[in-house]
C-alpha cells in the first residue's frame, strides 16, 4: 500500500516538472508571449464586463425616496418596495381600526419624492335616531365616517358632524355624526311603481321637491295636504291618455380637490359617490293605432346621486428634478409638450405609443398634461437598468445629466 502511494506521488512530481518545462519553452517561442498576454487580457476584459453588468443590475433596483408622514412626524426613506402597503409593512407602521392612508395601500410607488400620508383615527359617535354607535375614524366626511362604522345611509339622508359640547350628557368624547333619516314612500307614477325617500312633510311638498307638475287630467291620491308617513302609498295617474315610463341613470357627480401633501399623479377617494336614478314619463300620440310621437311630460328623481370627493396630489417637484427634466425635454423636443411631427414619437420626451401604453397611459403623449408627461419619463427611466445611458444615450451624453432622475 505504502509502495503504491510513493509511486503515485513520484508520477505527479514528474508530470508537474514536465508541464513547467513546456511553459518555459513556450514563453521563449516568438509567439508564446503574445498568446499568453492575449489570454490574460481576455480574462481581465471578462471580469470588467461582469462588474459593469453587476452595476447595471444595481441601477435596475434604483431606490426611490419616499416621504412618509405619520403620528405627527415625517420619515424620509429610500425604498425598493413596490406599493404603499408593502412600504408601511417594512417600516412597521401599523394601520389600526379607522386609520386612513393616502394614497391607498395598493398604490404603486413609481416616482421619486413619493408622498405617503397616514391619518390616525379618532373616536366618533354615530347617532342614528335612538341608536348610537361608537367607532374610530380618520375619514373627512360624515358619509365616509358612517360607511367606516358600517352604518347604511341613503343618498337622501342628511348627515352632519357636530362637536361634543357636554361629554357627560352626550356620552361622547369626540365628534358626533348625526343622521337625519329621509322617510321612504311608495310612489306609483302613471303606472310605474318605485320607492323614494324624502324629508317633505306633506304630499304637496314632496311633489314640489321632486318637480312633479300636474297637467290637465292628472289625479293625485291622497290629496296634496296629506301628511307624509313612512311607507305611504301615493298615486299619480291620468285618465284617457296612453303614458309610458322609463328609468334613466343620473351620472355620479365628482368633486376634485388638490392636496400638496400628495405626489403628482397620485389620488385618493375621500368620499365614495354613487349615480342617481330618475323615472321619465312619456305621453304617446297614436295614429291609426301606431305611435306617431312621444313627449316627455314628467321627470322624477327617484334616487339622488351622491357626489364623489376625489383628492389629487399637487406636491411640487424638487429643483434638481425640475432642472433634470428641463434639460432632457429641451434636448428631446425643444421643451414642447405638444410636439407631434408625425414621426411616431410624441410629446416633450418623444414617447412612442408602445412605451406610453406600457406605462399604463392612454391617448397620445402629446395630448397629456405636462405633469403626466414628466412623471411618465421619470417612471420609464427608473424601470431601465441603464437609465438614460441605454434609453437615450444621445441626450444623456450631450446634456451631461445623470442617467437616473436626481433624488
Amino acid at each position: 500500500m505504502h509502495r503504491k502511494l510513493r509511486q503515485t506521488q513520484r508520477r505527479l512530481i514528474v508530470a508537474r516538472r514536465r508541464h513547467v518545462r513546456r511553459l518555459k519553452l513556450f514563453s521563449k517561442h516568438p509567439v508564446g508571449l503574445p498568446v499568453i498576454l492575449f489570454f490574460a487580457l481576455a480574462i481581465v476584459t471578462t471580469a470588467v464586463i461582469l462588474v459593469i453588468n453587476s452595476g447595471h443590475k444595481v441601477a435596475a433596483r434604483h431606490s426611490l425616496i419616499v416621504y412618509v408622514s405619520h403620528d405627527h412626524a415625517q420619515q424620509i426613506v429610500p425604498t425598493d418596495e413596490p406599493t404603499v402597503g408593502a412600504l408601511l409593512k417594512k417600516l412597521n407602521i401599523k394601520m389600526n381600526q379607522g386609520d386612513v392612508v393616502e394614497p391607498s395601500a395598493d398604490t404603486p410607488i413609481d416616482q421619486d419624492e413619493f408622498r405617503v400620508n397616514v391619518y390616525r383615527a379618532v373616536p366618533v359617535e354615530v347617532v342614528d335616531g335612538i341608536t348610537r354607535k361608537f367607532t374610530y375614524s380618520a375619514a373627512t366626511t360624515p358619509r365616509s365616517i358612517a360607511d367606516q362604522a358600517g352604518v347604511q345611509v341613503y343618498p337622501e339622508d342628511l348627515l352632519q358632524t357636530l362637536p361634543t359640547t357636554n361629554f357627560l350628557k352626550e356620552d361622547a368624547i369626540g365628534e358626533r355624526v348625526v343622521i337625519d333619516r329621509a322617510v321612504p314612500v311608495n310612489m306609483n307614477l302613471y303606472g310605474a311603481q318605485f320607492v323614494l325617500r324624502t324629508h317633505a312633510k306633506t304630499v304637496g311638498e314632496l311633489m314640489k321637491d321632486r318637480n312633479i307638475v300636474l297637467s290637465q287630467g292628472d289625479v293625485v291620491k291622497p290629496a296634496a295636504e296629506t301628511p307624509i308617513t313612512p311607507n305611504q302609498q301615493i298615486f299619480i295617474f291620468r285618465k284617457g291618455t296612453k303614458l309610458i315610463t322609463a328609468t334613466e341613470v343620473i351620472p355620479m357627480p365628482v368633486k376634485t380637490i388638490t392636496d400638496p401633501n400628495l405626489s403628482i399623479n397620485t389620488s385618493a377617494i375621500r368620499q365614495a359617490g354613487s349615480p342617481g336614478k330618475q323615472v321619465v314619463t312619456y305621453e304617446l300620440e297614436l295614429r291609426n293605432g301606431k305611435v306617431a310621437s312621444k313627449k316627455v311630460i314628467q321627470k322624477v328623481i327617484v334616487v339622488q346621486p351622491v357626489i364623489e370627493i376625489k383628492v389629487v396630489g399637487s406636491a411640487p417637484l424638487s429643483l434638481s428634478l425640475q432642472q433634470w427634466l428641463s434639460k432632457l425635454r429641451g434636448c428631446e423636443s425643444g421643451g414642447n409638450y405638444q410636439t407631434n411631427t408625425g414621426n411616431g414619437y410624441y410629446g416633450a420626451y418623444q414617447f412612442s405609443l408602445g412605451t406610453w401604453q406600457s406605462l399604463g397611459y392612454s391617448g397620445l403623449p402629446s395630448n397629456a398634461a405636462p405633469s403626466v408627461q414628466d412623471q411618465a419619463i421619470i417612471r420609464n427611466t427608473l424601470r431601465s437598468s441603464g437609465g438614460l445611458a441605454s434609453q437615450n444615450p444621445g441626450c444623456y451624453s450631450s446634456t451631461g445629466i445623470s442617467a437616473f432622475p436626481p433624488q
Side-chain angles (χ1 to χ4, degrees):
M1 179 70 180
H2 291 290
R3 183 177 179 182
K4 289 183 178 180
L5 182 61
R6 285 194 296 271
Q7 289 176 349
T8 302
Q9 289 175 342
R10 280 198 295 270
R11 290 193 194 99
L12 291 174
I13 292 172
V14 171
R16 189 180 301 112
R17 288 174 179 173
R18 288 175 181 171
H19 183 65
V20 170
R21 278 198 301 271
R22 288 171 183 166
L23 286 176
K24 287 181 178 178
L25 291 172
F26 183 72
S27 63
K28 294 177 180 179
H29 193 276
V31 297
L33 186 59
V35 170
I36 293 174
L37 288 176
F38 172 79
F39 281 107
L41 288 173
I43 293 172
V44 172
T45 302
T46 302
V48 171
I49 291 174
L50 289 174
V51 170
I52 292 174
N53 287 338
S54 169
H56 280 183
K57 290 180 181 178
V58 172
R61 297 190 298 269
H62 181 70
S63 294
L64 300 175
I65 296 299
V66 180
Y67 298 87
V68 184
S69 298
H70 66 99
D71 302 306
H72 309 291
Q74 185 183 74
Q75 288 181 257
I76 304 177
V77 296
T79 185
D80 298 319
E81 297 299 329
T83 65
V84 170
L87 176 59
L88 294 181
K89 183 177 181 180
K90 183 175 182 180
L91 296 177
N92 198 29
I93 299 176
K94 296 181 179 179
M95 299 295 294
N96 304 311
Q97 177 188 351
D99 291 347
V100 172
V101 59
E102 292 182 353
S104 59
D106 57 357
T107 302
I109 299 176
D110 56 7
Q111 57 180 284
D112 227 354
E113 298 191 0
F114 194 87
R115 285 167 168 77
V116 176
N117 301 306
V118 176
Y119 299 100
R120 295 300 185 187
V122 296
V124 181
E125 180 189 33
V126 179
V127 181
D128 185 9
I130 62 173
T131 303
R132 297 184 175 212
K133 186 170 184 178
F134 293 92
T135 188
Y136 289 87
S137 177
T140 56
T141 69
R143 284 188 178 273
S144 298
I145 293 172
D147 183 62
Q148 275 195 337
V151 178
Q152 182 182 15
V153 292
Y154 297 93
E156 292 78 14
D157 293 335
L158 302 178
L159 293 85
Q160 58 178 330
T161 305
L162 300 175
T164 296
T165 56
N166 187 332
F167 71 92
L168 291 177
K169 182 179 178 181
E170 297 167 353
D171 195 24
I173 59 174
E175 290 184 332
R176 292 178 299 141
V177 172
V178 180
I179 303 175
D180 182 7
R181 292 288 185 181
V183 176
V185 297
N186 297 300
M187 173 73 75
N188 188 304
L189 182 67
Y190 307 114
Q193 183 78 30
F194 51 85
V195 177
L196 56 78
R197 296 173 183 274
T198 182
H199 289 274
K201 302 301 182 185
T202 66
V203 172
E205 285 184 17
L206 169 61
M207 295 172 61
K208 183 178 180 180
D209 180 57
R210 297 304 172 99
N211 295 316
I212 299 175
V213 180
L214 298 180
S215 300
Q216 184 178 1
D218 287 347
V219 178
V220 58
K221 290 184 178 181
E225 62 273 13
T226 305
I228 292 290
T229 57
N231 301 312
Q232 183 178 16
Q233 185 76 50
I234 300 174
F235 293 89
I236 299 176
F237 56 93
R238 181 178 299 181
K239 296 180 180 179
T241 305
K242 180 65 175 179
L243 302 176
I244 62 171
T245 58
T247 301
E248 296 180 351
V249 174
I250 303 174
M252 178 185 69
V254 178
K255 178 182 180 182
T256 302
I257 58 178
T258 59
D259 188 343
N261 294 313
L262 285 176
S263 302
I264 290 177
N265 288 340
T266 61
S267 62
I269 303 299
R270 291 187 176 171
Q271 176 174 290
S274 61
K277 185 170 63 175
Q278 68 180 0
V279 172
V280 183
T281 303
Y282 300 90
E283 180 180 16
L284 302 183
E285 181 183 349
L286 302 178
R287 293 177 186 171
N288 299 322
K290 296 182 179 180
V291 177
S293 64
K294 63 180 182 179
K295 178 176 66 175
V296 176
I297 63 170
Q298 204 78 257
K299 286 187 179 182
V300 178
I301 297 176
V302 178
V303 178
Q304 295 282 359
V306 176
I307 189 170
E308 178 182 273
I309 300 178
K310 180 180 180 180
V311 58
V312 296
S314 61
L317 301 175
S318 67
L319 180 60
S320 59
L321 185 53
Q322 290 182 41
Q323 292 172 342
W324 186 88
L325 291 169
S326 177
K327 290 182 179 180
L328 179 57
R329 64 175 174 264
C331 174
E332 289 277 15
S333 65
N336 184 2
Y337 285 96
Q338 286 77 43
T339 295
N340 181 358
T341 59
N343 63 350
Y345 295 90
Y346 308 86
Y349 304 101
Q350 291 293 276
F351 280 104
S352 68
L353 276 181
T355 301
W356 183 254
Q357 292 170 355
S358 71
L359 291 166
Y361 300 107
S362 59
L364 293 178
S366 52
N367 294 336
S371 61
V372 175
Q373 294 187 46
D374 289 345
Q375 289 303 328
I377 192 62
I378 293 172
R379 291 175 56 199
N380 192 53
T381 305
L382 291 175
R383 71 177 182 173
S384 166
S385 62
L388 293 181
S390 58
Q391 288 183 343
N392 190 339
C395 285
Y396 170 64
S397 175
S398 64
T399 58
I401 59 178
S402 58
F404 293 96
Q407 295 185 8

